[in-house]
């Protein structure tokens, strides 16, 4: 069993927060083990909870269109959420639910080691950039620990709000360029001598 499969198994059996009581199915996430890009949404909605798969409703349809606009299919990227079980009536996830669930995301990232983490909406953004406002930082790549985090608006919010829709479309269009830059930064390793010099 791969580490991602092990995490998925644990998520499906998880009772670490109260959201486990209302779920039909937990939604661990899906995509290749070696994906260059991980997309992190908010939480499963009705259809996701029914099917146990992320982004399969209206927001998922729009996410697929956004991916297609940069030549990607959903099976070429890893797609997950900051919270793996559906909150009742699709309410916002609570801080204690995010705190209980986010270690699964951390383990997924450690297993995949993506070049780029694209956060969809403010809740997944806040995990990486806790003090940021999405209206200030969307479309700007940030180095956060070992990851390059690229926050964008949530496709569900953007779907019915023309100004957000334009913003998310433009931010997606820059993903190939941001990914190339993230790869270039990751490949640069300071030579051993430079490392030593920095110590003295
Ligand atoms: N919205 C999300 O944030 N995640 C999903 O999986 C579906 C809709
Ligand atoms: Fe466990 Fe996360 Fe589901 Fe809460 S939301 S029960 S922490 S998998």
């Amino acid at each position: 069993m791969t580490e991602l499969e092990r995490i998925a198994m644990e998520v499906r059996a998880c009772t670490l927060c109260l959201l486990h009581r209302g779920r039909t199915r937990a939604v661990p996430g899906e995509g290749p083990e070696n994906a260059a890009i991980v997309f992190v949404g908010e939480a499963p909605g009705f259809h996701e909870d029914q099917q146990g798969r992320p982004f399969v409703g209206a927001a998922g349809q729009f996410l697929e269109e956004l991916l297609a606009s940069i030549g990607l299919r959903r099976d070429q990227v890893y797609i997950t959420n900051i919270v793996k079980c559906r909150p009742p009536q699709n309410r916002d996830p609570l801080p204690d639910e995010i705190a209980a669930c986010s270690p699964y995301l951390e383990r997924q990232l450690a297993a995949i080691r993506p070049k780029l983490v694209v956060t969809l909406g403010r809740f997944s953004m806040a995990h990486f950039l806790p003090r940021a406002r999405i209206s200030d930082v969307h479309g700007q790549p940030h180095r956060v620990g070992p990851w390059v985090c690229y926050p964008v608006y949530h496709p569900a919010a953007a779907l019915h709000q023309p100004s957000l829709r334009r913003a998310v479309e433009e931010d997606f269009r820059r993903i190939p360029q941001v990914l190339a830059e993230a790869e270039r930064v990751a490949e640069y390793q300071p030579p051993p001598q430079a490392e030593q010099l920095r110590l003295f």
Side-chain angles (χ1 to χ4, degrees):
M1 194 190 312
T2 67
E3 170 68 358
L4 277 185
E5 288 166 348
R6 171 174 304 283
I7 297 165
M9 243 182 54
E10 290 179 34
V11 164
R12 290 190 193 102
C14 179
T15 57
L16 283 177
C17 85
L18 285 177
L19 292 181
H20 82 275
R21 291 203 188 160
R23 75 182 171 217
T24 311
R25 302 174 68 169
V27 181
E30 63 187 23
E33 304 260 343
N34 61 353
I37 314 180
V38 170
F39 288 84
V40 187
E42 179 178 318
F46 175 82
H47 296 283
E48 291 77 20
D49 173 75
Q50 290 291 311
Q51 297 181 38
R53 296 181 59 210
F55 284 95
V56 290
Q61 169 87 42
F62 185 37
L63 177 60
E64 286 180 28
E65 286 171 28
L66 290 165
L67 287 171
S69 77
I70 50 172
L72 289 174
R73 294 186 318 267
R74 65 177 287 150
D75 63 1
Q76 296 176 302
V77 300
Y78 195 83
I79 304 176
T80 188
N81 288 297
I82 188 79
V83 157
K84 315 296 197 202
C85 301
R86 184 193 181 202
Q89 281 85 49
N90 297 344
R91 65 155 168 74
D92 290 348
L94 301 173
D96 68 306
E97 293 160 354
I98 294 172
C101 209
S102 55
Y104 292 121
L105 174 65
E106 286 300 322
R107 289 171 58 196
Q108 288 170 323
L109 292 176
I112 299 168
R113 302 178 73 243
K115 298 294 192 302
L116 189 64
V117 179
V118 179
T119 56
L120 305 167
R122 61 199 165 95
F123 290 98
S124 53
M125 175 199 72
H127 177 70
F128 298 92
L129 303 167
R131 282 172 302 277
R133 290 167 57 122
I134 196 160
S135 53
D136 294 335
V137 301
H138 75 88
Q140 297 171 10
H142 291 71
R143 186 76 99 104
V144 181
W147 316 123
V148 177
C149 171
Y150 186 65
V152 306
Y153 285 112
H154 196 290
L159 206 45
H160 305 292
Q161 247 175 294
S163 62
L164 298 192
R165 189 180 176 115
R166 272 192 299 277
V168 82
E169 285 169 349
E170 272 176 34
D171 291 347
F172 260 74
R173 229 171 285 139
R174 285 187 55 227
I175 286 179
Q177 179 192 330
V178 172
L179 175 65
E181 179 66 15
E183 279 171 337
R184 204 182 62 74
V185 168
E187 275 158 24
Y188 175 75
Q189 299 283 350
Q193 269 184 338
E195 288 266 279
Q196 279 168 23
L197 276 178
R198 222 180 274 160
L199 288 173
F200 296 104

